[in-house]
Amino acid sequence: MQNWFSLTLLQNKGLAIFMTNHKSYITNKLFSIAMYSNKPFKVYSITYTIANMNIKLRSFFWLLAFAISSATYSQEFPSNPADAKMGWWREAKFGLFIHWGIYAVPAGKYVYNLPDGKYKEDITQGEWIMNRCKIPVAEYRKYAEHFNPTKFNAEEWVLTAKAAGQKYIVITTKHHDGFAMYKSETSNYNIYDATPFKRDPLKELAEACRKYGMKLGFYYSQAQDWGHKGGAPNKWHWDKAAQDGSMDAYIDSIAAPQVKELLTNYGDVAVLWWDTPKDMTPELAQKLDDITRQHPNLITNNRLGGGIRGDLETPEQYIPASGYPGRNWEVCMTVNDHWGYNAYDDNWKSTKELLRKLIDITSKGGNFLLNVGPTAEGIIPPVCVNTLKEMGDWLKINGEAIYGTTANPFDYLSWGRATRKGQKVYIHVFDWPKNGQLNVPFANIITKAYLLEDTTTLLRTKQMANKVLVSVPNIAPDKMATVVVLEFKGEPIVLPKLTENATAIATSELDTAHGINKIFSTNPKDFYSAGKDQKETTIELDLGKPQAVAGIMLAEPWRAWEKKEQQYLLSYKVGNDWKILAEETTNGTGHTKLFGTVTTQFIRLQLNNKTDAPRLNQLLLYRPD
Ligand code: H79
């Protein structure tokens, strides 16, 4: 094995020491430091191979690396001033999304009146029901007359979030239906003026949040508004008399003044969560951005439109394979299949599933904004309250491994995930080892190992080349996820990606911007695409040398609701033959397959797509454990 040793002087940043088996790992590491740096800096780096050194000399270099790196690399990634407002948000990791509106009255069921007194029922959607069923504005407005959520209790909602270990709430103040869930002076189409409730739930929620130290953010559908003239493109309107109009006039007379109300009448607002920037021009977006900029601590997401990036990337209903390097990001997701209340949707995700999603997201450096859709009475569905409570119970014990952590140093762990804080790596074990030995591919010196749920009992560790074996109890202490803490010296030393030195060719490429090399990019915006009109492509990977491979991950570019899928046949080369490893169907957002270990230099992926040209954001190969 070839070892590389690098002594690197980072201008204004001090000294960095790297040891690895791959020179390109060093380059990558430097690049990522440069990315996070707020000052321009030059890198002076000398890289030596120590392949031929004798064992004593090699150990000396390893020790030197540990000693110097732990002494000089303690600054982590320096934050730049614009990041100061993100501090609490990065710590928070877990928030509660609330989709609440008069769509909770139909609760997913619409009845069409047909001629001759007949009728037809349609069970569909939550907050999109008005659009899906093409309900005229005047008719939809009647739901407001039946919206009287007398069981709404702001403190209970905040305490539900607290019990879940959530640090912030983002609530819909106006969804696409255009109905404001607060007392608005701008439009009387609001909960105070148009319902029998006659209360302002946002006021109550803002007070309760202040009382319990919960951050409060507002979702506001700025472009798509089916209840006011000019909200979103006229071509999408179904009740033209009530909906068609000028979008400029709509932004000036509804969206802008309402956003001002929201940012002035409810105390400190933590987040403004825009949604669906349909037809938002740079000029219109600027008007809204100017308003939010009056509030320097306000965090905004990337959905305003008009080319404004905002502070957050917001993957919806899926977890991006490698997060968004260099950006703050937040996965929003539903507990069942709808955002707004749908009485007919019982497809609840389990606590274990959601908790593991929180861990997965955290391990990639993101936040989790988990949604509930309260009823028209003002109740958060009890299933959700229970699930949230169970997640909170886990976090009470294991929160240290989530809050304030940074992304995981590993590429992938088939049996779990990892997070990091300073000199601690938290290993979240999903599949407990049957032999009582946890095999962690981590080359650093471990000073201490223990379970987070029992910090006083130290676990035995055995350091091996490129990995550490941790002796753990025979039975998983926690069925959902058990956290093993490894305290270590220096910067994390992990193996490079299996595809680190790989090259790829494909039988079809759309253009150079979507060339096959995009499968090696960790930017989720990059993707490879086969040529237009192609329904299949064959990709061949050359790993540079024979490697032990045990699994594959394909990140795909479609949205969860597009329900796309691709078929693939995965093979590897033995001699002159190709042997099949897997034949599977993906779901269009991302797919992982473990197939047992093979050693090969060449991998072939035949990808078929029935509806579009095959596409991939990223391809990762996994080592055996
Ligand atoms: O507020 C939630 C969604 O209502 C909103 N964003 C999250 C946070 C959203 N608006 N648009 N979209 C998400 C994407 C559009 C999805 C659609 Fe459909 C697919 C619209 C019509 C088909 C989903 C499925 C909604 C109706 C049917």
Side-chain angles (χ1 to χ4, degrees), residues 99 125 127-128 132 175-176 219 275-276 316 339 561:
H99 273 67
Q125 269 303 306
E127 77 290 353
W128 269 77
R132 295 278 92 184
H175 205 272
H176 308 333
Y219 169 109
D275 203 8
T276 65
E316 178 168 328
W339 301 92
W561 60 81

Side-chain angles (χ1 to χ4, degrees), residues 27 99 191 208 280 294 328 332 346 352-353 378 482 509 606 620:
T27 324
H99 273 67
I191 190 168
M280 190 55 91
Q294 303 291 314
N328 293 299
C332 57
D346 277 328
K352 178 164 135 183
E353 227 177 312
T482 304
E509 276 181 6
Q606 287 160 279
L620 290 175

Side-chain angles (χ1 to χ4, degrees), residues 410-478:
F410 307 102
D411 235 11
Y412 180 73
L413 299 168
S414 68
W415 40 262
R417 298 290 182 272
T419 53
R420 179 192 174 191
K421 203 183 293 170
Q423 296 310 119
K424 289 179 187 171
V425 163
Y426 303 96
I427 311 286
H428 302 247
V429 187
F430 295 167
D431 304 320
W432 198 250
K434 294 191 176 62
N435 62 358
Q437 293 283 310
L438 191 67
N439 181 343
V440 189
F442 195 58
N444 295 57
I445 291 176
I446 307 298
T447 52
K448 225 174 176 189
Y450 49 89
L451 301 179
L452 197 47
E453 62 169 54
D454 174 11
T455 57
T456 50
T457 311
L458 297 186
L459 304 175
R460 259 189 313 121
T461 60
K462 188 171 173 198
Q463 260 161 305
M464 326 260 288
N466 288 325
K467 66 180 181 185
V468 54
L469 290 179
V470 188
S471 301
V472 293
N474 279 321
I475 294 166
D478 192 318

Side-chain angles (χ1 to χ4, degrees), residues 312-503:
L312 307 178
E313 299 294 322
T314 51
E316 178 168 328
Q317 300 285 38
Y318 75 98
I319 302 172
S322 304
Y324 287 75
R327 288 280 286 166
N328 293 299
W329 57 280
E330 173 187 74
V331 170
C332 57
M333 195 176 279
T334 50
V335 179
N336 57 359
D337 292 329
H338 292 94
W339 301 92
Y341 180 63
N342 180 312
Y344 310 90
D345 179 355
D346 277 328
N347 193 22
W348 304 107
K349 296 177 185 78
S350 69
T351 305
K352 178 164 135 183
E353 227 177 312
L354 289 168
L355 182 71
R356 288 181 174 193
K357 285 183 194 296
L358 171 66
I359 295 168
D360 187 20
I361 293 164
T362 309
S363 80
K364 294 167 180 167
N367 278 20
F368 193 21
L369 186 61
L370 182 57
N371 180 76
V372 298
T375 66
E377 291 185 302
I379 303 277
I380 297 176
V383 185
C384 298
V385 174
N386 186 50
T387 297
L388 288 169
K389 164 85 170 52
E390 286 174 358
M391 292 177 82
D393 290 344
W394 185 91
L395 282 162
K396 271 198 196 108
I397 298 165
N398 299 292
E400 186 192 319
I402 297 287
Y403 305 119
T405 59
T406 53
N408 121 70
F410 307 102
D411 235 11
Y412 180 73
L413 299 168
S414 68
W415 40 262
R417 298 290 182 272
T419 53
R420 179 192 174 191
K421 203 183 293 170
Q423 296 310 119
K424 289 179 187 171
V425 163
Y426 303 96
I427 311 286
H428 302 247
V429 187
F430 295 167
D431 304 320
W432 198 250
K434 294 191 176 62
N435 62 358
Q437 293 283 310
L438 191 67
N439 181 343
V440 189
F442 195 58
N444 295 57
I445 291 176
I446 307 298
T447 52
K448 225 174 176 189
Y450 49 89
L451 301 179
L452 197 47
E453 62 169 54
D454 174 11
T455 57
T456 50
T457 311
L458 297 186
L459 304 175
R460 259 189 313 121
T461 60
K462 188 171 173 198
Q463 260 161 305
M464 326 260 288
N466 288 325
K467 66 180 181 185
V468 54
L469 290 179
V470 188
S471 301
V472 293
N474 279 321
I475 294 166
D478 192 318
K479 296 279 175 295
M480 293 198 284
T482 304
V483 179
V484 178
V485 187
L486 301 181
E487 296 190 6
F488 65 97
K489 286 196 173 166
E491 271 300 285
I493 302 166
V494 298
L495 292 170
K497 286 193 174 72
L498 270 180
T499 50
E500 190 78 356
N501 295 315
T503 52

Side-chain angles (χ1 to χ4, degrees), residues 262-309:
L262 289 168
L263 295 181
T264 43
N265 296 344
Y266 299 93
D268 279 344
V269 179
V271 179
L272 192 58
W273 216 96
W274 307 113
D275 203 8
T276 65
K278 298 215 187 292
D279 261 24
M280 190 55 91
T281 61
E283 293 71 33
L284 292 177
Q286 199 56 55
K287 290 183 185 199
L288 299 177
D289 195 52
D290 287 346
I291 300 169
T292 55
R293 276 178 192 279
Q294 303 291 314
H295 304 264
N297 289 329
L298 181 69
I299 293 169
T300 58
N301 75 358
N302 63 338
R303 297 187 179 198
L304 175 56
I308 290 170
R309 288 188 80 189

